[in-house]
């Protein structure tokens, strides 16, 4: 059984965005806010990779975002992204429900 979580741990304001289907003048997808909510944010693991052919380093940081279980948080898809502290996090998988189904966790990664 997972440790008990309470609502006071949900103290970070994060935004979940989805693609609109349209593109800007440069061909990049346009994003819109799906919902904004408080979440618990836990950094998990990071790594750094050197790409020799392009002579650059790529760093990643995996993060777990835990939301209260609502219709919107249960509908999070891997095609969406999470914005926290101005950084974009790509969602790796769909929502993972807690044992009591009161909370939803989402794994995401930030590349920089």
């Amino acid at each position: 059984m997972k440790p008990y979580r309470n609502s006071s741990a949900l103290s970070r304001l994060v935004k979940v965005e989805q693609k609109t289907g349209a593109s800007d003048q440069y061909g990049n997808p346009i994003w819109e806010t799906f919902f904004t909510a408080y979440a618990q944010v836990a950094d998990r693991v990071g790594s750094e990779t050197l790409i020799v052919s392009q002579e650059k380093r790529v760093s990643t940081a995996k993060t777990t975002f835990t939301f209260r279980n609502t219709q919107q948080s249960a509908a999070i898809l891997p095609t969406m992204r999470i914005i926290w502290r101005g950084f974009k996090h790509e969602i790796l998988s769909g929502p993972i429900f807690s044992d009591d189904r009161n909370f939803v966790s989402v794994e995401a990664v930030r590349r920089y």
Side-chain angles (χ1 to χ4, degrees):
M1 182 172 210
K2 294 181 183 177
Y4 177 76
R5 290 187 190 113
N6 63 25
S7 298
S8 65
L10 309 178
S11 60
R12 308 286 186 233
L13 190 61
V14 300
K15 182 170 44 171
V16 178
E17 294 184 337
Q18 65 182 355
K19 292 180 186 177
T20 62
S23 300
D24 65 8
Q25 63 187 3
Y26 302 108
N28 298 320
I30 297 175
W31 296 83
E32 67 181 358
T33 301
F34 182 62
F35 75 95
T36 302
Y38 284 94
Q40 178 182 4
V41 180
D43 290 324
R44 294 291 175 216
V45 66
S47 66
E48 184 175 73
T49 305
L50 175 63
I51 301 174
V52 177
S53 62
Q54 298 174 5
E55 295 183 6
K56 67 177 185 178
R57 293 186 188 275
V58 177
S59 298
T60 60
K62 286 187 181 177
T63 306
T64 301
F65 295 90
T66 303
F67 301 93
R68 181 182 300 281
N69 186 4
T70 63
Q71 285 182 336
Q72 289 129 339
S73 63
I76 294 174
L77 299 171
T79 56
M80 298 177 179
R81 69 181 182 185
I82 295 175
I83 308 294
W84 178 56
R85 289 160 105 195
F87 297 110
K88 298 170 187 152
H89 294 77
E90 300 170 29
I91 297 175
L92 298 175
S93 66
I96 302 165
F97 296 93
S98 64
D99 290 342
D100 58 4
R101 299 191 65 82
N102 288 329
F103 298 97
V104 173
S105 295
V106 176
E107 295 288 329
V109 66
R110 178 172 67 106
R111 300 181 201 291
Y112 54 98

